Structures are given as C-alpha cells and as structure tokens.
Amino acid sequence: MKRNIVIATVAAAALIGGGTATAVAFGGSGASDASSTAGASSASSASTPRSSVSVPDDDVNEDAREAKAATVSAPQAAAAALKATPGTVTGIDLDQDRPGLVWEVDVLGKDNKWHEVTLDAGNAKVLNQRVEHEDDDDHGVARARAELKGASVGAVAAAEKAAASYGTVTSVDLDDDHRSSAVWEVETVTKDGKEHKLNVDPRSGKVSVAPRDGDADGADD
C-alpha cells in the first residue's frame, strides 16, 4: 500500500491520536474515525496472512470481485486495525493476497511510527502487522501533522460519505500531488460492477467525481 499522509480531525483534541474509535469507526460525523484510545491487542506476526475469503475467478473486474467477496467493510476493518494499533487511520485498501482476500490498513500510531495492519476480509481478524521503516519517516510524520490542521474529515468518514451514493468502498488514500490542498481519493464499486473514483474534501466533506486526466475539475456529487 502506498504511503499516505494523514488527514484526520483535530477539532476535539490538540494532540494527534485523541478521541475514540466507535463501533463502526466511520461514524459519519467525520471526526470519530480519526483515532482510538483502545489498548493495543496482540496480533499474528506470521509472514504469510491467511484469509478466510477467496475471490472467485469470473469475468467481472478484479475490484468488483473483491468487493463482492468481502464480508468485512472498510469501516469494520479500520476499527479492528485501531484496536491492534491505536492511532490514526491514513489509508484503507482491499487486496487479494495469497491465499485470500485481505484489508490493509495504514495507521500512524501513537508512537509516531507508521504501521500496516493486515486483516482477514471475512472476519476482521488481524493476520499481520508491521512497522514501516523508511528513511523519510520523521519528515513524513511532520508533514502528516501539518496536513491535520483544519481537517474535519478523516479516511473513515471519507469512505462513509462516498459509500452513501457510490457503493462499496475498496480503497481510501490521500492525494496531495499537484493540488493546492490534499483530497481523499476513494474508490468504490456499485452492485452492477461499475467502478467509481471520487474525491472527498477533508475539510468540508464534499464529494465529487475525480477528474479524468486532462480535466480540471470533477462533477460534484
């Protein structure tokens, strides 16, 4: 999963990582998904995740197959990841991994380290978690803190907003390339198998269709 810069709400606390992770974690208010005070739980350190869900091999596109096969939603996966690694969700991705389907959740931990938590897409069991070691770690954390300022919509709330009109969420990532301000990029799949790429404003929560290459703006939701 590519490195994501954190955007989460800071309205309720001055420090990153305050607040709580509620039952669904994407509580619709935007702020509730930002962090968790849940204690860290043990997780498997197995190098090869074992998932209870497999994606059938059919003619439907890959994302549509994965979305249909997953019984755990993006919000549920994020909530489980925060229980294992308290902090701030920075990215959520559904991925086919051997031997099954998994959610990969990026978390900026309360220890100021980047964590990747892999969970079974069938039962939300934590299969693996690791700390990412990157040369620009300190710089990345500082940049993430800067992006937090003024934000009221985190990765989880962005997913909920997009899902309300555009189906099952398969990916949430932050895009700060070539923009005056960063946006959440959310990918979804509707029941007819059609994929949608959306942008969610981290401050207003406004959802728009992501512009195609060469387009200046997307259509508003």
Side-chain angles (χ1 to χ4, degrees):
M1 187 184 302
K2 70 179 183 179
R3 166 57 55 82
N4 305 293
I5 300 173
V6 185
I7 286 190
T9 181
V10 292
L15 296 176
I16 296 175
T20 59
T22 55
V24 184
F26 302 172
S29 64
S32 62
D33 66 293
S35 54
S36 169
T37 55
S41 62
S42 59
S44 170
S45 59
S47 58
T48 303
R50 299 192 60 83
S51 173
S52 63
V53 176
S54 60
V55 178
D57 184 13
D58 53 33
D59 294 331
V60 184
N61 65 68
E62 181 179 355
D63 284 350
R65 294 199 311 270
E66 292 175 353
K68 185 176 181 180
T71 56
V72 173
S73 69
Q76 291 168 336
L82 287 174
K83 288 181 180 179
T85 305
T88 302
V89 173
T90 68
I92 312 164
D93 285 287
L94 186 62
D95 186 36
Q96 179 66 31
D97 196 358
R98 295 181 181 180
L101 188 64
V102 299
W103 282 104
E104 292 179 344
V105 180
D106 285 336
V107 178
L108 176 59
K110 291 185 176 181
D111 56 3
N112 281 335
K113 295 180 180 179
W114 299 97
H115 299 258
E116 182 178 274
V117 184
T118 303
L119 307 102
D120 191 312
N123 56 24
K125 179 181 179 181
V126 174
L127 301 172
N128 191 29
Q129 61 184 85
R130 65 186 180 87
V131 175
E132 295 183 358
H133 298 284
E134 296 192 8
D135 294 338
D136 65 343
D137 224 25
D138 291 340
H139 173 71
V141 170
R143 189 175 179 184
R145 289 182 181 274
E147 291 292 345
L148 280 167
K149 293 181 179 179
S152 60
V153 177
V156 176
E160 284 232 321
K161 289 178 178 294
S165 300
Y166 292 94
T168 302
V169 172
T170 59
S171 176
V172 181
D173 288 299
L174 186 69
D175 178 20
D176 66 338
D177 295 332
H178 313 297
R179 297 178 184 274
S180 57
S181 61
V183 297
W184 287 110
E185 284 190 337
V186 184
E187 295 183 5
T188 70
V189 178
T190 46
K191 291 182 178 180
D192 60 2
K194 185 176 181 180
E195 296 182 18
H196 301 269
K197 293 185 177 181
L198 311 163
N199 290 336
V200 180
D201 190 294
R203 288 163 177 78
S204 68
K206 182 179 180 180
V207 180
S208 61
V209 176
R212 293 172 297 181
D213 292 342
D215 290 347
D217 297 293
D220 291 342
D221 177 46

